[in-house]
Amino acid sequence: MNSYKITTLNDFIILRQKDFPFAKGELSSLLSHIGTAAKIVNKKINKAGLVDILGRAGMVNVQGENQQKLDVFADKVFTDALRSSGECCGIATEENQNEIVFSDKLARKGNYVVCIDPLDGSSNIDYNVSVGSVFSIYRRITPRGEEVNNEDFLQDGTQQVAAGYIIYGSSTMLVYTTGNGVNGFTLDPSIGEFCLSHPCMMSPPDGRIYSINEGNYIYFPQGIKQYIKYCQEKDESTGRPYISRYIGSLVSDFHRNLLKGGVFLYPPVENMPEGKLRLVYECNPIAFIAEQAGGAASDGRRRILEIRPESLHQRSPLYVGSENMVNKVLKLLI
Ligand code: P6P
């Protein structure tokens, strides 16, 4: 019988704990709780077509978007898991206008806050298109023992201690970084464990995939229109014309481009002058992972990670992926 060396997410977190000489296992425990919540959400998503969990919950979230039942379910699962971890003293989530303060004694002692989009791409759920969860973890600014407040959640992306996403696709993967590279874990349903499947993920510096909703073409800044034309020109020395791939689910589009090389673009458009994606719980975690994998992430003028958030739900244009491709976009935007 050949030996099949499995490294589960929890094995790996503990193994890598030495990267945090001062950590006493708190961040490790928090990441492990996120992994557990992801398994629960995954189970529900996998059965979505079979139980009455599809479709709208009949509510509207802070974004004014119709909440899908799975959105509401995922939000509750991650909130409960983070609250019970004892390491997290509050969360900012896409589904709630303000931060959620965990005021019980244990949680108030937590060192960390989490910003999360519990189920991104949820409009795709009813059509069996892959969706994802995206999260950032920060050390709190307010003193331990006190209740968190807004400032704990409006830190710039360079302050993230960890970030990750779960992609509920043909297989379910959890990809995260704690600032020491990016590692991917695939859920093995037969043992109910996330197992290390993509160690040290690196984004190719170049790629041939560009991901953008070309339906908004007429609203794009001139530089983006030029970039799309650049992608479509024939130039075999640079592998053009490139390939257009767009799922309409940030985590799925980003994950594919991270592995194969490519660039994802969400520019300002007519009814969203700051773009559509949320800085705090979509752009920042994705940008942290992209940079840790050797890629780049910009709003067209600055590194995403250097933007000082002013509000929880503020939007930002996002150009993210292979470094040379992002740099080409930025050159045309100047
Ligand atoms: P559009 C999904 O609703 C989402 O928030 C992201 O996951 C995705 O990248 C984007 O919106 C797609 O937006 O306007 O192209 O449908």
Side-chain angles (χ1 to χ4, degrees):
M1 168 94 156
N2 58 347
S3 67
Y4 173 36
K5 174 87 185 77
I6 295 177
T7 303
T8 68
L9 175 64
N10 285 347
D11 295 339
F12 187 83
I13 289 172
I14 290 160
L15 271 173
R16 298 297 289 270
Q17 197 160 290
K18 66 179 180 340
D19 295 338
F20 289 88
F22 312 110
K24 296 180 284 298
E26 296 148 339
L27 182 60
S28 305
S29 160
L30 189 49
L31 284 166
S32 172
H33 278 82
I34 289 174
T36 303
K39 288 185 219 172
I40 297 169
V41 171
N42 176 67
K43 209 155 165 264
K44 195 65 97 175
I45 286 180
N46 283 352
K47 290 192 306 201
L50 303 171
V51 294
D52 178 30
I53 195 86
L54 274 179
R56 293 184 176 157
M59 293 172 273
V60 176
N61 66 11
V62 291
Q63 328 293 346
E65 293 160 351
N66 286 308
Q67 273 191 322
Q68 301 283 355
K69 288 179 183 171
L70 270 172
D71 268 341
V72 175
F73 173 78
D75 190 50
K76 184 163 178 0
V77 169
F78 279 105
T79 303
D80 291 350
L82 290 166
R83 186 197 315 272
S84 65
S85 72
E87 309 300 352
C88 176
C89 45
I91 65 170
T93 144
E94 178 182 47
E95 305 304 330
N96 292 275
Q97 179 63 38
N98 301 307
E99 62 274 2
I100 297 173
V101 177
F102 295 160
S103 43
D104 59 275
K105 214 151 163 276
L106 175 68
R108 270 217 305 261
K109 289 210 179 80
N111 247 334
Y112 299 98
V113 295
V114 176
C115 305
I116 185 164
D117 184 353
L119 205 57
D120 173 72
S122 51
S123 52
N124 293 305
I125 290 170
D126 291 352
Y127 316 108
N128 210 12
V129 172
S130 53
V131 293
S133 307
V134 201
F135 64 90
S136 279
I137 302 177
Y138 294 85
R139 216 179 303 289
R140 67 182 303 170
I141 294 174
T142 47
R144 289 185 81 173
E146 288 184 15
E147 289 201 345
V148 290
N149 64 41
N150 212 250
E151 70 168 313
D152 289 298
F153 298 92
L154 298 181
Q155 304 180 50
D156 40 332
T158 53
Q159 300 307 304
Q160 293 175 89
V161 290
Y165 58 83
I166 296 97
I167 176 168
Y168 310 97
S170 44
S171 63
T172 295
M173 273 191 76
L174 186 151
V175 175
Y176 83 94
T177 182
T178 53
N180 296 282
V182 179
N183 292 281
F185 300 78
T186 300
L187 183 64
D188 179 341
S190 67
I191 56 172
E193 291 286 0
F194 279 107
C195 301
L196 183 63
S197 54
H198 296 66
C200 307
M201 294 171 78
M202 287 306 285
S203 169
D206 279 298
R208 298 190 59 233
I209 297 172
Y210 70 104
S211 305
I212 187 169
N213 181 347
E214 296 196 39
N216 295 318
Y217 182 85
I218 57 171
Y219 306 118
F220 289 155
Q222 198 47 39
I224 298 300
K225 292 181 178 177
Q226 286 174 298
Y227 183 69
I228 292 173
K229 292 302 156 216
Y230 169 82
C231 293
Q232 294 168 349
E233 280 164 358
K234 190 170 175 56
D235 176 342
E236 282 164 19
S237 67
T238 56
R240 289 180 288 147
Y242 290 158
I243 301 157
S244 173
R245 287 285 181 275
Y246 192 72
I247 298 170
S249 175
L250 171 64
V251 170
S252 308
D253 281 315
F254 174 75
H255 182 73
R256 177 204 52 240
N257 293 357
L258 178 66
L259 292 174
K260 294 189 77 169
V263 61
F264 172 90
L265 308 96
Y266 208 106
V269 290
E270 190 197 26
N271 56 344
M272 293 183 281
E274 287 306 315
K276 175 179 185 183
L277 300 169
R278 310 292 176 172
L279 174 62
V280 168
Y281 43 76
E282 289 175 334
C283 300
N284 267 336
I286 291 294
F288 189 19
I289 291 168
E291 290 197 2
Q292 281 290 311
S298 170
D299 69 348
R301 290 182 294 125
R302 302 160 290 184
R303 271 174 80 202
I304 289 287
L305 297 182
E306 288 174 355
I307 301 173
R308 170 55 52 91
E310 285 157 22
S311 67
L312 286 186
H313 302 290
Q314 80 181 61
R315 301 175 191 267
S316 169
L318 178 64
Y319 308 110
V320 62
S322 296
E323 186 177 22
N324 297 343
M325 298 180 85
V326 172
N327 288 340
K328 179 66 183 174
V329 174
L330 299 182
K331 272 204 197 87
L332 292 171
L333 277 173
I334 292 173

